[in-house]
Amino acid sequence: MERINVALRNTGKATRREADELISAGKVYVNGVKATLGMQVSPTDQIEIRGKTKEYRYFLYNKPIGIVTTQPQGDEKDIVSTSKFPIKVFPIGRLDKESSGLLIMTNDGRITDDLLSPDKDHEKEYIVNVDKMVTRIFKEKMEKGVLIGGDQKLDQYKTKPCKVQLIGDKSFSIILTEGKNRQIRRMTEALGFKVMKLERTRIGKFMIGKLKPGEWREVKM
């Protein structure tokens, strides 16, 4: 047995909060009977949502350098305040202020866990420029995983193996399946390099394509 909002979330029909809203609006039925908040259901119960439900939409957005993903401080500017989306949306994941590139913007909270879960191994690809010449030794160390974190041993973390391709004297592409905070910057710094420019070009099957900084396009999931 499990709470009905959890059951709806697990089927992908709604987030737990959205499920509660649908139940409160009288749109959820269990075995033909109107559901109530907090009720318990079993795997054999038939749960249905009646009436018009929320329309989920998805946008690929090219975040410019200098724009924060969320929660601007002081005179900072965030995505929502600088871009005109047709509906209220939020970003899945983040890019730091100094970085640019691809983000998925949506009103669908159901996909957050799936896209951000470290167990899902979703690939994210970046183009990186650094301050010194990159070598095959640098490539091999990055690919094997780099120890990042604090000075204390317990605070340190070794990144997962990744794919790196050298594309210029001071530039490379990297494909990650995890997303630690400022991970690429911390990896390169641990090897004695400094990131000069960082752009995300792909999230899973979605490519940044011809999107210019600040532009977006709608896609289907």
Side-chain angles (χ1 to χ4, degrees), residues 55 61 75 86 106 132 217:
E55 179 187 9
Y61 170 75
D75 60 354
T106 183
K132 295 185 293 186
R217 71 174 181 271

Side-chain angles (χ1 to χ4, degrees), residues 46-212:
Q46 298 297 313
I47 305 174
E48 59 179 321
I49 299 173
R50 299 179 182 177
K52 188 175 181 180
T53 58
K54 187 175 182 178
E55 179 187 9
Y56 296 109
R57 298 174 69 179
Y58 314 91
F59 306 88
L60 302 184
Y61 170 75
N62 185 349
K63 187 191 86 67
I65 295 172
I67 299 296
V68 298
T69 308
T70 57
Q71 298 179 328
Q73 303 294 318
D75 60 354
E76 290 181 334
K77 296 180 180 179
D78 67 348
I79 296 171
V80 173
S81 65
T82 56
S83 301
K84 294 183 179 179
F85 290 93
I87 60 170
K88 185 177 180 180
V89 293
F90 57 87
I92 301 295
R94 61 189 175 190
L95 277 173
D96 60 59
K97 184 177 179 179
E98 297 83 12
S99 301
S100 64
L102 190 61
L103 278 167
I104 296 175
M105 306 291 294
T106 183
N107 63 340
D108 186 359
R110 303 172 305 168
I111 68 171
T112 302
D113 289 341
D114 180 61
L115 287 179
L116 298 183
S117 172
D119 299 326
K120 300 294 184 178
D121 286 340
H122 289 297
E123 289 188 343
K124 294 181 285 291
E125 187 168 356
Y126 304 78
I127 301 296
V128 188
N129 289 55
V130 290
D131 62 335
K132 295 185 293 186
M133 185 173 291
V134 290
T135 64
R136 293 203 65 82
I137 294 176
F138 169 84
K139 174 183 184 295
E140 291 168 2
K141 288 182 177 180
M142 290 283 283
E143 289 184 324
K144 289 179 180 178
V146 178
L147 201 61
I148 60 176
D151 296 330
Q152 300 297 319
K153 196 169 185 179
L154 291 175
D155 296 332
Q156 295 183 331
Y157 169 82
K158 187 173 183 180
T159 59
K160 289 183 179 181
C162 61
K163 301 174 185 177
V164 174
Q165 181 177 352
L166 305 182
I167 56 178
D169 290 343
K170 298 181 180 181
S171 60
F172 62 94
S173 66
I174 181 170
I175 299 174
L176 302 179
T177 55
E178 60 181 342
K180 298 294 182 182
N181 185 35
R182 300 175 68 87
Q183 179 171 334
I184 297 173
R185 295 180 187 275
R186 293 163 68 191
M187 290 173 71
T188 54
E189 287 170 5
L191 297 180
F193 292 75
K194 180 180 179 181
V195 170
M196 307 304 291
K197 183 179 179 182
L198 190 156
E199 179 186 21
R200 181 155 65 198
T201 59
R202 178 170 69 89
I203 300 174
K205 66 180 181 180
F206 297 110
M207 306 287 292
I208 197 167
K210 296 181 179 179
L211 281 179
K212 297 177 181 178

